Amino acid sequence: MFKASNELIKAYNLKRPLIALAAHILFWLCFFALARIVFYVYFIDLVRINQIGVGEVLMAFPNAFRLDLATTAYFIAPTFFLLILLSFTNFRVCRYFIQWINYLLILGFSLIIIGELGIYPEWKTKLSYKALLYLTHPSEVINSVSTLTSIILAIIGILMVVMGIFVYNKLVSSWLKFPRPKWYFSLVLFIIVPPFLVLAARGGLQQIPINQSQSYYSKHDLLNQGAVNSAFNLYISIFENKEFMRKNPFVFYDANEAQQITDRLFKTESDTTFKILEHPKPNIVVLILESWSADLIESLGGMPGITPEFRKLEQEGILFTQAYSSGKRSEQGMGAIFSGFPSTPFTSITVQPDKFVKLPSLTNELKRVGYQTSFYFGGQLIYGNMKAFMVHSGFDRIKEIYDFKPGLLQGKLGIHDEFTLKEQLQDLEKEPQPFFSSLFTLSSHSPYDQPMREKVQGGKNEHEYINSAFYTDWCLGQYFRLAKKSAWFKNTIFILVADHSHNTYNNWPVNSFEYNRIPILICGGALRKEYRGIKFEQLVSQTDLASTILAQLDMKHDAFYYSRNLFNRNYKPFSYFTFDYGIGYKTPEGSFIWGTTYQQPAIEGFDTQQAQQAEKEAKSLLQNLFQAYLNY
């Protein structure tokens, strides 16, 4: 009997390091939940004003779990390695290190929460790198809030720290005292646990690591902000801006001079808009084509036979022959299309909630005049933080991979295009008009595992990409044949635009206009007959779509500073794209491409004087754009 008891005690002691680790995980998950409760209780008046139900508030906790778990994995990593050292050596100093690391994390996280409670009423964002810069002037921060608010925040902070340390000492740190287990048990822990920590930190086995989008679930921004883990959000904000936290790396001219030059590029003297629509308030459908290059389109100089269905649609619409993507990433394309904000070097504004909440939204503008809105994507919208951006943009209905009917054919990244397109059409049959619906295709993204047999021969090194585009094009043909049978088609305008370009069989230099050229096509039953089957030869950008759409509806679009109304005859024709460390700028006379790594700019078509003017315009635009990004 005594022997059995001793065996139980030994087994129990062996498990104590594992129990200690589990206790730390549970503690941090609970502490993050406590911080979320503090956030919602502190802003209870905003919850009441927005008439948010208790049930919707409570949904923040399950939606926050995966991001909290990822953050916990980062927080306890030092604790785990010290636990392993403690189990091998039983050095008392390891216990003290573990305790003090967690005390500091409790203090640090509590300060983050207090900072958010202080800035949210004014900034409507979580604590970010930009807010941290203000802490270098603490007197300004203290003076910007009332004395009573400062006292309340101090009390909340002290209570969180005291409560956190008290609970940690009572229920967690006691598990750090254990006799040294067998060496092989410690070794097994050392081998087995780290993969699970890595898995938790990236949010699972999915293709795309977890980000803030995982916690977005509500139309109320207050709830989404509270659901996002504050430490994770701050880390991402610092990581995205670490290279330029204090200054614009692209300052070439006096700020006023650069602003004036940029103003001249985007402002028009008078409104000479010509209308292309049959109806004053049509339905609008935006189909965003994943990675479609102009080289896929025969009419744009591409290889014949890749996109025959698109070629048919050209006969029914307006094809923009000189359209260029703003950047090279999907989230940059989304910001350009829906907010008219160009891509920036180094980073994307759409991955940073503290910044994109200040962007204008085409979706919200249309909602103000009665449009029903929806967004469809067959994959995971956590990619590039797109879900958070789409939720903030105001889409009433957002469907991603988890929201489609079960059993649809999928590839590695998600549901294939034919099924997402079909489901959008089925939903639109029941949608009140007017509606604004967007769908982002997926199948022309690597690994190109589309379900159709290869139909296009050639394509050299991009053979698989070419065939994936053929598949999406075939899906578009099916889609439009069905759409034309719908009663709402005659009152609908369709806009087909790529999110960004892609390498093709031509293997253009990645920072060239040839590489960044994309298709943009406007078609549909609401397009006037005289504009069907024509080509628009002027230089245009994705960013121009927002102002162009609003202008056709006789709506103001001043908030979309970088977006031009393409059907205003007075707009200045130019296009541009940005890349890390530089910008490409093109006018009808020539092109100018500059980067900090270039020994000299790449200039084509301009004479000396024109090149000097193009350089000044391009660098002023880059300086002004990046400063706007920093100011958000």
Side-chain angles (χ1 to χ4, degrees):
M1 180 176 176
F2 291 112
K3 185 176 180 182
S5 299
N6 288 334
E7 290 299 320
L8 287 173
I9 292 170
K10 286 180 181 179
Y12 178 67
N13 287 334
L14 280 174
K15 294 177 182 177
R16 282 184 70 94
L18 193 58
I19 295 172
L21 183 65
H24 280 83
I25 293 172
L26 186 60
F27 169 80
W28 280 111
L29 289 174
C30 291
F31 199 64
F32 294 151
L34 171 66
R36 194 162 290 113
I37 293 169
V38 170
F39 184 87
Y40 291 139
V41 170
Y42 189 83
F43 294 114
I44 189 67
D45 287 342
L46 292 178
V47 172
R48 289 170 178 162
I49 289 170
N50 288 287
Q51 297 181 324
I52 304 172
V54 174
E56 189 173 1
V57 175
L58 293 177
M59 285 302 297
F61 294 89
N63 281 283
F65 176 77
R66 285 181 64 192
L67 199 59
D68 282 353
L69 185 61
T71 311
T72 299
Y74 286 108
F75 270 38
I76 68 166
T79 294
F80 167 71
F81 289 108
L82 285 169
L83 267 174
I84 294 298
L85 183 61
L86 179 62
S87 65
F88 272 117
T89 64
N90 216 13
F91 289 156
R92 186 180 300 177
V93 69
C94 292
R95 292 196 195 98
Y96 295 141
F97 272 126
I98 292 171
Q99 289 174 327
W100 278 101
I101 286 172
N102 282 276
Y103 292 162
L104 290 173
L105 287 172
I106 291 168
L107 175 62
F109 186 75
S110 299
L111 289 174
I112 291 173
I113 297 302
I114 299 311
E116 287 183 351
L117 297 181
I119 68 170
Y120 187 82
E122 186 68 27
W123 290 17
K124 296 296 186 289
T125 65
K126 299 180 78 66
L127 195 65
S128 65
Y129 86 99
K130 185 176 179 180
L132 289 180
L133 296 182
Y134 283 81
L135 297 180
T136 59
H137 304 284
S139 59
E140 280 185 37
V141 177
I142 294 170
N143 292 333
S144 65
V145 296
S146 69
T147 302
L148 179 60
T149 300
S150 298
I151 293 172
I152 292 172
L153 291 177
I155 292 172
I156 293 172
I158 292 169
L159 287 175
M160 284 188 66
V161 172
V162 171
M163 184 185 299
I165 292 176
F166 176 80
V167 172
Y168 180 83
N169 285 336
K170 276 285 184 183
L171 302 178
V172 181
S173 66
S174 58
W175 291 103
L176 296 175
K177 297 176 182 178
F178 51 80
R180 189 167 66 185
K182 299 293 184 181
W183 67 269
Y184 51 80
F185 182 79
S186 300
L187 183 62
V188 169
L189 278 181
F190 183 70
I191 294 172
I192 291 177
V193 173
F196 286 98
L197 288 179
V198 172
L199 192 65
R202 75 182 306 277
L205 290 170
Q206 74 281 351
Q207 289 284 107
I208 305 156
I210 199 168
N211 58 38
Q212 296 101 311
S213 279
Q214 183 64 50
S215 298
Y216 272 62
Y217 73 100
S218 172
K219 295 178 183 178
H220 299 287
D221 197 54
L222 174 71
L223 299 187
N224 295 325
Q225 297 282 3
V228 171
N229 187 282
S230 301
F232 189 96
N233 184 78
L234 182 59
Y235 162 73
I236 292 296
S237 181
I238 294 173
F239 178 79
E240 286 289 334
N241 298 279
K242 62 184 178 182
E243 293 188 39
F244 35 83
M245 287 182 68
R246 294 183 178 274
K247 66 177 183 178
N248 185 345
F250 301 109
V251 175
F252 311 102
Y253 312 111
D254 173 77
N256 290 331
E257 180 185 9
Q259 183 66 58
Q260 289 171 5
I261 292 172
T262 308
D263 285 345
R264 288 197 294 269
L265 292 177
F266 289 98
K267 290 184 178 179
T268 52
E269 294 180 2
S270 59
D271 186 358
T272 58
T273 301
F274 57 93
K275 295 300 179 66
I276 64 167
L277 302 178
E278 291 279 10
H279 308 283
K281 205 172 181 181
N283 303 312
I284 303 167
V285 177
V286 177
L287 300 177
I288 303 170
L289 308 173
E290 170 65 65
S291 304
W292 271 40
S293 164
D295 284 349
L296 301 175
I297 313 299
E298 184 177 351
S299 301
L300 301 180
M303 192 172 82
I306 302 174
T307 53
E309 298 296 337
F310 189 93
R311 188 165 175 79
K312 294 174 186 176
L313 292 173
E314 293 172 30
Q315 310 309 312
E316 306 170 12
I318 302 172
L319 177 65
F320 294 83
T321 63
Q322 291 293 321
Y324 296 91
S325 61
S326 176
K328 298 179 178 65
R329 287 153 58 178
S330 296
E331 70 273 16
Q332 292 176 325
M334 299 300 162
I337 293 166
F338 294 113
S339 290
F341 193 82
S343 67
T344 54
F346 308 122
T347 186
S348 302
I349 196 169
T350 52
V351 305
Q352 300 178 69
D354 59 302
K355 290 183 178 292
F356 70 58
V357 295
K358 299 167 188 173
L359 290 176
S361 165
L362 172 62
T363 312
N364 277 326
E365 292 299 317
L366 294 174
K367 285 178 68 172
R368 289 192 183 98
V369 293
Y371 276 80
Q372 300 294 310
T373 62
S374 58
F375 185 89
Y376 294 75
F377 181 52
Q380 300 172 9
L381 281 174
I382 63 170
Y383 175 78
N385 211 29
M386 286 192 291
K387 184 177 180 181
F389 177 69
M390 294 306 167
V391 169
H392 177 75
S393 294
F395 284 102
D396 297 315
R397 182 173 66 254
I398 297 174
K399 279 193 173 184
E400 57 178 321
I401 187 170
Y402 314 107
D403 306 308
F404 285 84
K405 299 168 186 173
L408 297 178
L409 190 61
Q410 295 186 23
K412 193 172 183 180
L413 288 183
I415 301 167
H416 290 300
D417 291 343
E418 58 186 294
F419 305 105
T420 55
L421 286 162
K422 185 177 180 180
E423 185 143 337
Q424 185 201 37
L425 285 181
Q426 291 172 346
D427 288 350
L428 292 182
E429 287 294 332
K430 301 171 284 187
E431 192 89 328
Q433 299 184 54
F435 54 72
F436 173 61
S437 184
S438 183
L439 183 145
F440 183 24
T441 67
L442 175 144
S443 299
S444 50
H445 193 291
S446 61
Y448 314 121
D449 53 356
Q450 46 84 14
M452 180 180 284
R453 289 184 179 179
E454 291 186 353
K455 299 287 186 179
V456 183
Q457 301 303 313
K460 300 177 184 177
N461 54 308
E462 293 294 350
H463 179 75
E464 291 182 338
Y465 163 67
I466 296 300
N467 276 276
S468 72
F470 181 91
Y471 167 71
T472 297
D473 180 75
W474 175 83
C475 297
L476 290 175
Q478 299 288 101
Y479 175 87
F480 275 96
R481 278 187 280 276
L482 287 173
K484 288 175 181 177
K485 297 177 182 178
S486 301
W488 48 262
F489 180 82
K490 64 179 182 298
N491 189 37
T492 304
I493 199 80
F494 293 84
I495 300 171
L496 285 74
V497 55
D499 60 336
H500 54 77
S501 188
H502 189 279
N503 188 53
T504 71
Y505 47 84
N506 283 318
N507 296 304
W508 304 111
V510 69
N511 293 329
S512 67
F513 277 94
E514 292 85 358
Y515 183 99
N516 289 277
R517 191 176 173 210
I518 59 170
I520 297 180
L521 175 69
I522 299 178
C523 61
L527 184 66
R528 288 185 176 178
K529 292 180 180 179
E530 61 265 33
Y531 293 110
R532 298 181 185 182
I534 69 169
K535 292 181 179 179
F536 193 94
E537 305 286 351
Q538 297 279 55
L539 289 159
V540 304
S541 171
Q542 293 166 312
T543 54
D544 299 324
L545 290 174
S547 286
T548 301
I549 291 169
L550 293 174
Q552 288 295 307
L553 304 182
D554 293 320
M555 295 175 64
K556 290 184 178 180
H557 48 88
D558 298 344
F560 299 83
Y561 174 85
Y562 294 99
S563 182
R564 300 163 298 175
N565 172 13
L566 297 179
F567 299 123
N568 182 344
R569 294 182 178 87
N570 289 330
Y571 93 90
K572 182 175 174 63
F574 69 93
S575 196
Y576 59 99
F577 63 86
T578 63
F579 55 94
D580 284 355
Y581 308 105
I583 187 170
Y585 178 74
K586 187 173 187 178
T587 73
E589 291 75 35
S591 64
F592 172 92
I593 302 174
W594 171 90
T596 56
T597 58
Y598 284 39
Q599 291 185 347
Q600 58 184 13
I603 301 172
E604 291 185 10
F606 293 125
D607 61 30
T608 303
Q609 186 175 356
Q610 289 172 331
Q612 291 174 349
Q613 179 65 24
E615 179 174 5
K616 194 147 196 175
E617 290 175 349
K619 289 185 174 179
S620 293
L621 173 56
L622 181 59
Q623 175 179 332
N624 189 70
L625 171 61
F626 206 88
Q627 191 59 52
Y629 162 80
L630 291 177
N631 291 344
Y632 272 117

